[in-house]
Amino acid sequence: VFQHRKALLVTRHGKEQVIGPPLREAFGIELVTTDQPDTDLFGTFSGEVERPGDQLATVRLKVEAACSAHTGADLLLASEGAFFPHPDSPFLMMNRELILLKDQVHQLECIGRSVNLAPGIMRVTVHSAADALAQLPAFRFPAFGIILRATDRHTGRLLLRKDCPSFAAVEAAVNELLPFAADGKVEMEHDLRAHRNSDRMGFIADAAAHLVRVMQRCCPACGVPGFDVTDILPGLPCNWCGSPTRLVLAYPYTC
């Protein structure tokens, strides 16, 4: 079904570097990219644009918007990441990556997933450029990007500075924000966009590997690709008393 076809990936953040190779190796798929539509229209990690729906609904919107691009590709791909507290340990953060492939010829949808602990996500408040520069080694900067944010003391508007490439650029950005910042403070946090965060890029690579496995797994009843786990059922019995627990009892697969 997928051999030697052309696929279009919607991205502005270099995700083709980790999504393209496994697709090419497994199926000979030629991956091309487009930066239209602007994926920031579907939500930003820095908070200035809210996501229009849940993670799966949002990645579907990205794919639908890509249908208007005229590239000769009939396989469409988009990716969406999310961060959320660990369900049992809320002080730990989790990262879930979804990659959706839509086959317009066969009207198929395959989804690659990856869920991992998200290490080292930091957010600190600084009151001077010196404070910010002192914090940068803990942020693993410049290997990992940072975002600076402040609230305008006059208008209440969110002020953001992204893509600071150097220590000098961070110093200049903090000095630019401080005169306008409410309470004289600037928040500095990790940039979670894929091209500025190698941890997240690795998790997207995991999702791409899972997508390949989903594309290769066919329904035992009808032979259609995309047969995969679609739910998690808790209730594994306790060895001592036989009562159901929160541990996984079964993983239902769905065509």
Side-chain angles (χ1 to χ4, degrees):
V1 170
F2 302 113
Q3 290 293 327
H4 305 296
R5 294 173 64 184
K6 188 175 183 180
L8 175 69
L9 172 65
V10 184
T11 183
R12 291 190 165 198
H13 299 149
K15 296 175 184 177
E16 70 276 5
Q17 300 170 44
V18 294
I19 296 176
L23 292 174
R24 183 170 58 250
E25 181 178 347
F27 306 106
I29 287 175
E30 177 192 354
L31 186 67
V32 296
T33 63
T34 178
D35 60 2
Q36 297 298 324
D38 181 354
T39 50
D40 282 352
L41 298 174
F42 300 94
T44 58
F45 285 116
S46 45
E48 68 268 35
V49 180
E50 292 293 326
R51 196 161 57 187
D54 64 23
Q55 189 177 6
L56 181 56
T58 300
V59 76
R60 282 177 173 147
L61 287 173
K62 288 182 179 180
V63 166
E64 289 171 10
C67 290
S68 60
H70 301 289
T71 63
D74 49 30
L75 295 174
L76 302 175
L77 286 152
S79 167
E80 179 74 5
F83 290 82
F84 54 93
H86 191 287
D88 295 320
S89 302
F91 295 106
L92 298 175
M93 291 297 292
M94 304 294 293
N95 168 233
R96 182 197 297 117
E97 296 293 339
L98 298 183
I99 303 174
L100 186 144
L101 177 140
K102 181 177 181 181
D103 183 342
Q104 297 193 101
V105 173
H106 301 95
Q107 292 303 302
L108 295 176
E109 183 181 273
C110 295
I111 300 173
R113 295 177 172 86
S114 173
V115 181
N116 300 272
L117 279 174
I121 297 177
M122 293 180 61
R123 176 182 291 177
V124 300
T125 299
V126 298
H127 296 86
S128 68
D131 282 349
L133 294 177
Q135 296 285 348
L136 288 179
F139 277 79
R140 296 179 286 173
F141 180 86
F144 288 74
I146 63 161
I147 292 175
L148 299 166
R149 66 167 74 229
T151 302
D152 190 307
R153 68 177 68 195
H154 302 295
T155 66
R157 187 168 58 91
L158 178 65
L159 305 174
L160 288 172
R161 296 295 182 272
K162 304 179 183 180
D163 296 316
C164 296
S166 65
F167 282 69
V170 172
E171 182 178 17
V174 173
N175 285 331
E176 182 183 353
L177 290 174
L178 279 173
F180 304 96
D183 302 323
K185 64 182 183 182
V186 173
E187 289 187 346
M188 185 165 72
E189 63 186 38
H190 269 120
D191 191 340
L192 299 178
R193 294 175 297 169
H195 67 306
R196 300 292 284 134
N197 192 295
S198 63
D199 284 344
R200 184 168 170 235
M201 193 66 88
F203 299 151
I204 295 172
D206 294 340
H210 178 244
L211 174 65
V212 167
R213 294 195 296 272
V214 172
M215 293 165 69
Q216 292 172 329
R217 188 184 299 123
C218 297
C219 173
C222 69
V224 171
F227 191 64
D228 194 34
V229 173
T230 52
D231 201 358
I232 299 174
L233 302 182
L236 188 70
C238 172
N239 278 336
W240 287 352
C241 68
S243 300
T245 69
R246 294 176 60 190
L247 298 178
V248 176
L249 175 65
Y251 296 100
Y253 283 71
T254 302
C255 178

